[in-house]
Amino acid sequence: MEEVVTRIDQITGTGMFFLHNMTVLIITIVIGLLIGLFGLKLVRVWAAFMGFLLGAAAGGGIAGTAHLSEIASVGVMLGGALLMAVLACIFYKVGIFFYMIFLVTGVCVLITRMSTLPVLGISLALGLVIAIVTVKVFDPLVIIVTSISGGFLAGSAAVSMVELNDNIIAVIVIPLVMIVLCMCTQFIMRSRQVGRRQEEKADEKRQQISRETEVEKARKLLEEDYAEDDEPEDEFEEDYEYEEDSEDDFDEPEASLDTELEEDEDFKIIE
């Protein structure tokens, strides 16, 4: 009877360990895919996550230095974590700077499977360099780093799930395929987003040109209407413009009348 109970405990314990291990692997795959497929899309989320971790660590350090109680320590850690998460979400490039250091260092440790001091130092230095470059060349490097880290994380968890850790080809190929898929997906999404932005800018430019054209047409119409209103006055002035010698023309009939009277013989006789 005791042997049966012992056997049941062993089976139950093995089953619980298997379920726990599978749950962890599934969660790891989901997180890896989120990082690899939506690294640039959810950049503020990753920045806030990094700010949360840094804020919690800073709050823990403050609580430990001040020798606070457990409840007060939890409150300080939670307050610091939330504050840093909000600030990192607003100033997301600062959060991504530290997130890149954290991500690159973690991936280097996972790939080398070594956590010695030299490996940690080299990983931190590499993460710092990539983080500095990321600030200058933001979108492409965020895509590349998140695709590599997320694809490697998801691929390694998938290899462990199907129990192919001893197969060197599977250990290399599956994470590599996941990395390529994640990277291609992110670059395609980014190109579509850039295309939509360019279309929106082109539409705004066309609308602006159209408005300017309408304004120009309206201005020309107003000028033509104004010119038509001024034209009859000019014609009126031209039609009724008096010449300088018009007075002489009025004097000519009188002069011709005197001449005729002088030539008339009857007029002379009367004189």
Side-chain angles (χ1 to χ4, degrees), residues 163-229:
E163 297 181 354
L164 292 176
N165 292 322
D166 296 332
N167 190 336
I168 188 65
I169 297 176
V171 170
I172 295 174
V173 172
I174 293 177
L176 186 61
V177 170
M178 296 295 293
I179 289 171
V180 173
L181 288 176
C182 292
M183 195 174 298
C184 292
T185 302
Q186 285 206 67
F187 274 112
I188 289 172
M189 289 192 296
R190 181 179 180 273
S191 63
R192 289 180 179 177
Q193 185 178 5
V194 171
R196 285 195 297 269
R197 290 178 180 175
Q198 290 178 350
E199 289 179 359
E200 291 176 357
K201 289 181 179 179
D203 291 338
E204 292 178 358
K205 188 66 176 179
R206 283 194 292 268
Q207 291 177 1
Q208 182 180 359
I209 294 173
S210 178
R211 287 194 296 268
E212 292 177 354
T213 304
E214 294 295 332
V215 171
E216 184 66 21
K217 288 181 179 179
R219 187 182 65 80
K220 288 182 178 180
L221 288 174
L222 289 175
E223 290 179 353
E224 291 177 358
D225 293 339
Y226 182 76
E228 290 177 357
D229 293 338

Side-chain angles (χ1 to χ4, degrees), residues 120 143 146-147 156 169 198 220 226 266:
L120 288 175
I143 291 175
T146 54
S147 298
S156 300
I169 297 176
Q198 290 178 350
K220 288 182 178 180
Y226 182 76
D266 295 335

Side-chain angles (χ1 to χ4, degrees), residues 42-52 81-97 138:
L42 302 177
V43 65
R44 292 184 183 273
V45 175
W46 312 130
F49 171 72
M50 194 64 221
F52 186 87
L82 293 176
L83 178 61
M84 290 298 294
V86 172
L87 291 176
C89 183
I90 296 173
F91 305 101
Y92 65 94
K93 287 192 176 182
V94 178
I96 289 297
F97 177 84
F138 192 79

